[in-house]
Amino acid sequence: MAHRDEAPYKPQNRQEVRELVQQLEAHTKKGRKSNFSVRKNTFNLPSNRTVDSWRMQDWDYKKPDLPTYARGLFTYTTLDGNPEIAVRGYDKFFNHGEVSTTRWENVQRSTRGPYELSVKENGCIIFIAGLDDDTLLVCSKHSTGPRDNPDLSHAINGERWIDKQLSALGKTRADLARKLRAMNATAVAELCDDSFEEHVLAYKPEDAGLYLHGINLNLPEFATYPGPFVDKFADEWGFKKVMYVMENDIKKVKAFLDEVSETGNYAGRDTEGFVIRCQAQDFRDGPYHDWFFKYKFEEPYLMYRQWRECTKAIISGKSPRVRKHKKITEEYLLFARRCLQKDPQLGKEYHHNHGIIKMRDDFLKERGLKGSDIIRQEREGGEVENSQTTRNIVLVPVATIGCGKTTVAVALTKLFGWGHVQNDNIIGRRNRPQMFAQAVYSALGTSLVVIADRNNHQKRERKQLIADVLNIVPEVKFVALQYVHDRGNYDNIRKATRERVLSRGDNHQTIQAGSKSQEEIIGIMEGFLSRFEPVDDSGSPDDMFETIIDIDATASSRDNLETVITRLHSEYPKLFKEMPSADDLDNAIEAALNDYKPDLKHDLGRSSNSRSNGGSLALRQVQNASAKAGKDPKVEYFGVQLPASDVGRILATVFRDQDAETSRFYNQLDKSRRIQPEFHVTLIHRASIPEHQGVWERLSQLHGEAVKQAGPGAMWQKPGAKMGDCKVQLERLVWDGRVMCFVVRLLNGQQSGAENGQAPVFETVNPIAHVTVGTANETIKPKESNDLLQKWLQVGSSEETGIKEVTVKGHVVLDGVVRGIMRK
Ligand code: GTP
Ligand code: MG
């Protein structure tokens, strides 16, 4: 709601609020199968009325189609018996790069300014709103506060600050309550008060108080005041104001943030990060709505946090874990020990979060340094060990099957020549863990960095690896590459990893999707998921990791490769002689995806007597299989594959020029990621063999020849042996509410090689040649395109038939490649 001269206003719609409450209520039920669950808490107010707080799990806010994304939501029943939103927090927002919408390329594409950048205050959030009886409701994100212990309640401490600022202005709580309710809004402030609870960054007494940073309309959808209106309200009602920077150009926003993040110091103050407020659209040409993301800084905030944790460790007699900033932290700890010895009372208070900042500042003062100076010095002078590290690093993936460990590892070896030890290549059943550690150790002899490619998904495995390697080379540093497995995200992880593994076919040492049944493989994968233990560096063995790099199990290996390299570079700047370019990364992943073939296959699932002694047996089996490919039972269908990126681009172009109603189903598919990752024209599916035996046999023949030419094993590798070319013209798009497809024409005889009459002619046995674009959900199979097109032929497209179509303008012809697609 930027670009305005007036503060936004919109009243609540009773029906809408009633529906919202009903939906939330419905998701509070236990045992209900749904993709998110809601916790409801009812609080008693001093007036003897009640308000309900609604909250979801943090990770649930990443899911699509929630009734609201408000983080912090309270409703109540008005005196005249209607449900009303009392308090509405911001929409949950995420750190840059944390979710796909906050990746920079997406931020750049789908947001617009003005961008308001405000310092991320670091107290606790307080909501202030007015009820219909003129009482003021002051609460924290999910609580109105424990009335029996006001000293502990953020909400009640907030209330005290409100009283203080109101009385200075000669106003009352009822005045503020009436004003906010008339605005149908919630005031959002940060309570920064070290005398109440000390956070990591210091606030001087004169700086303490309520910092007003936002005013939200009390609506299910997110609508918030632009900065100048927030400031105006703060002035009128005695709040402190937050500092913000206005910027119109997103490139400048990024440049600014990147620069400040060098030191974490802005306008002379250490800061945790920024919140960036702007407007975003959910899909191209969609409406803009208010949208936030954050940019959290790493240092010196993280160093302070380490100091605080180490100090607490000393106080409770444990040994401090110094992971980074080793030299300065050890010096700080000497200083801290001295202080604690001198004043035994200090330790007790410190443990209750008092005196943390003083101890730190006293140390810095003694040194004549600021936190930001230390960070800068470390970066420039390379004083900490990490910055000197150039060798003896073991990268330890923590993952489950199909996360992309091997792909990222192979890419790293291509880029930097590092060592890569695959557990799957260890031969033998006995002492496998020890042999794996041994192999990692040996690789360290010739490589600066070694990737210990194994799932390491349990603490037990990590403990074994680390202990066994350290036993031989004590100076090794371990870096975890953790494919984050939040239980709340398991469905997405399942989807991503299954898709990868099942389409990998037999191109793997132990998980051969082409030969094992799908259920068997899914069973093995589920086992890993259920046993997965996240990295927990608060104790053994994960406190042995010097660095933990979190990566997204559902993201592409290309993105994950970049994350790994970026983090490694910031932790160990000397590790790389030269940073690879974006093209280098593309190429390395491309090569890892295409060139990599395991040189060994075995089956860990079966008893040892059926095991191959080095893969030759399995390899022989593959060769035998391809020799028989003429009648190969493993081809699922023959099809013309189209370049996916071209199809994606054409779709986007076609719908860019359409009105909202026409684009609705496409946008739905796009938003719910139901557009096919791969596009093809089916020539014949094995289900049609009985009716079209001749066609199947002829294609099988061609396939066998292609496989023979490509060499043994080629049929097992994606994308499979090429049987020929076939140009495909995209003519029109047809869809209903369930499925969308292109009607296409196979342009035989136009491909190169046709002139000598040698090129085979390809035809489809389907009544209408088509390319399925996507289906509305998983239960709808792509082959439903056939039914849709039959109906379309008979009744055509119109309002009544529910079928829509648009023509693809121009003469759009793509180069297709004919292949046999293996059974999953
Ligand atoms: P396991 O060794 O079975 O535990 O799996 P892994 O974690 O080593 O995964 P791997 O690197 O073998 O990836 C699984 C499959 O997904 C392979 O066929 C990869 O080629 C494929 N794959 C990996 N990353 C990507 C990606 O970013 N995009 C696509 N399309 N495929 C990928
Ligand atoms: Mg692997």
Side-chain angles (χ1 to χ4, degrees), residues 400-408 424 453 455 500-501 504 508 511 555-558 589 592-593:
T400 58
I401 292 174
C403 282
K405 300 177 295 293
T406 304
T407 305
V408 170
D424 289 314
D453 185 353
N455 282 310
R500 288 183 205 140
V501 169
R504 178 169 62 188
H508 189 268
I511 311 290
S556 70
S557 292
R558 167 66 176 76
I589 283 292
L593 286 173

Side-chain angles (χ1 to χ4, degrees), residues 638-640 681-685 692 694-696 698-699 702 725-727 745-749 751 760-770 818:
F638 293 100
V640 189
V681 188
T682 299
L683 298 178
I684 178 170
H685 189 275
H692 305 279
V695 178
W696 183 269
R698 191 179 72 88
L699 289 171
L702 279 173
D725 296 299
C726 181
K727 286 188 189 291
R745 192 181 292 265
L746 300 179
L747 301 179
N748 279 295
Q751 59 267 20
V761 171
F762 297 105
E763 274 162 333
T764 174
V765 301
N766 283 328
I768 300 179
H770 64 266
V818 182

Side-chain angles (χ1 to χ4, degrees), residues 529-601:
L529 284 168
S530 67
R531 290 190 301 268
F532 188 90
E533 292 175 301
V535 175
D536 169 14
D537 65 350
S538 68
S540 171
D542 296 334
D543 56 2
M544 293 304 293
F545 286 117
E546 189 175 75
T547 302
I548 297 162
I549 302 180
D550 281 341
I551 42 190
D552 181 349
T554 63
S556 70
S557 292
R558 167 66 176 76
D559 285 356
N560 286 336
L561 177 70
E562 184 165 348
T563 306
V564 170
I565 292 175
T566 310
R567 273 296 301 282
L568 284 175
H569 178 62
S570 84
E571 302 291 332
Y572 311 100
K574 293 250 167 92
L575 202 54
F576 304 92
K577 288 206 178 61
E578 217 176 299
M579 284 300 274
S581 68
D583 277 352
D584 296 337
L585 299 186
D586 289 346
N587 295 338
I589 283 292
E590 180 92 10
L593 286 173
N594 294 329
D595 309 350
Y596 171 74
K597 287 162 211 138
D599 34 24
L600 163 69
K601 279 186 203 283

Side-chain angles (χ1 to χ4, degrees), residues 36-103:
F36 68 98
S37 66
V38 177
R39 282 239 299 281
K40 175 185 180 182
N41 269 312
T42 302
F43 294 95
N44 292 312
L45 299 177
S47 62
N48 272 334
R49 300 174 71 187
T50 59
V51 287
D52 297 322
S53 143
W54 307 92
R55 76 190 287 190
M56 287 173 264
Q57 295 294 339
D58 234 351
W59 60 73
D60 280 345
Y61 292 91
K62 294 186 181 172
K63 294 178 175 161
D65 304 325
L66 302 183
T68 179
Y69 288 83
R71 188 89 174 118
L73 179 72
F74 292 78
T75 59
Y76 74 118
T77 306
T78 55
L79 294 170
D80 53 10
N82 289 300
E84 185 168 293
I85 296 174
V87 160
R88 207 263 189 227
Y90 297 129
D91 266 10
K92 168 83 183 164
F93 55 93
F94 296 97
N95 201 12
H96 65 106
E98 187 179 355
V99 290
S100 92
T101 47
T102 63
R103 290 208 196 118

